[in-house]
Amino acid sequence: TVLLLILDWRLGLLSALMWPWCLVVPPRIARRAGPAAYLRQQREAEFVERVQEEISTQAVVRAYGLQRVSIARFFQFDSRLFESSVESAFLTALMDQSAFSGLLVLQVVTLGTGAWLAFEGYVTTGTLAAFQSLFLSVGTSLIYFTQYTRGLSPARAGMDRIEQFLRQPGSVEDAPGAAALGP
């Protein structure tokens, strides 16, 4: 960014807008993507529990003729999982593409402004070419950075699920006055 400012301060200031865009917009979307990923993981756990229950109760379901009820409940859990998966994937993709599309728009604006400055004689064509090359390099680095932050949202949701599991009380409690178990 410093080199961009050295090449041409006007274009450098314009291109500096990529920093706030990439550092503010994707994290704002991530605030919604995190809870959506958490909800998807909860629904996935419910779905897996439902599958395990269906497998273990096949004899009872057949004996009482509950196949239709069982299938309807299974599809209900499946549709809930699908809805939350679509929302989570959409927000994650939106977070990813927001930085990329913002940089593309900024690149077009910078190139248009640079072309006008070159046409008016304020910058040379070589300076404009060097500027655009360097701008693409900085922009690509920022996009890679935002892609790493995209992966943090589902990981954060997974960590929340693990912490929730660890906060649950134990299923076996000691009797009052029980002696401590030795090492």
Side-chain angles (χ1 to χ4, degrees):
T1 303
V2 171
L3 288 174
L4 291 173
L5 288 167
I6 290 171
L7 282 173
D8 186 72
W9 67 271
R10 295 164 290 231
L11 292 175
L13 287 177
L14 184 62
S15 69
L17 292 174
M18 73 178 130
W19 284 96
W21 180 269
C22 288
L23 297 177
V24 171
V25 174
R28 289 186 69 109
I29 297 170
R31 287 188 201 134
R32 288 191 55 207
Y38 181 77
L39 178 63
R40 186 191 67 73
Q41 288 182 345
Q42 280 183 319
R43 297 236 171 113
E44 193 173 273
E46 292 171 358
F47 182 78
V48 169
E49 287 176 20
R50 185 74 202 152
V51 168
Q52 289 173 339
E53 183 179 323
E54 289 298 324
I55 290 171
S56 66
T57 60
Q58 278 299 310
V60 175
V61 170
R62 286 183 186 164
Y64 288 101
L66 298 172
Q67 290 91 344
R68 286 189 181 163
V69 173
S70 178
I71 289 171
R73 286 180 63 200
F74 177 80
F75 281 125
Q76 180 184 15
F77 278 89
D78 184 50
S79 67
R80 289 177 61 200
L81 175 60
F82 178 75
E83 289 169 6
S84 60
S85 295
V86 168
E87 180 184 6
S88 177
F90 173 75
L91 289 172
T92 302
L94 183 64
M95 187 172 59
D96 215 14
Q97 294 304 313
S98 65
F100 186 69
S101 60
L103 282 174
L104 284 178
V105 168
L106 189 57
Q107 182 185 5
V108 168
V109 169
T110 305
L111 184 59
T113 305
W116 179 79
L117 289 172
F119 184 74
E120 294 294 322
Y122 294 112
V123 296
T124 64
T125 308
T127 301
L128 180 59
F131 186 91
Q132 282 299 313
S133 175
L134 192 55
F135 179 82
L136 285 175
S137 176
V138 173
T140 303
S141 298
L142 278 172
I143 286 178
Y144 286 141
F145 174 75
T146 59
Q147 286 177 343
Y148 289 123
T149 60
R150 174 184 60 110
L152 293 177
S153 183
R156 188 175 302 126
M159 190 63 192
D160 289 344
R161 288 277 296 152
I162 291 170
E163 287 176 358
Q164 179 188 20
F165 178 75
L166 293 176
R167 282 192 302 263
Q168 291 179 348
S171 60
V172 177
E173 293 187 27
D174 290 336
L181 188 62

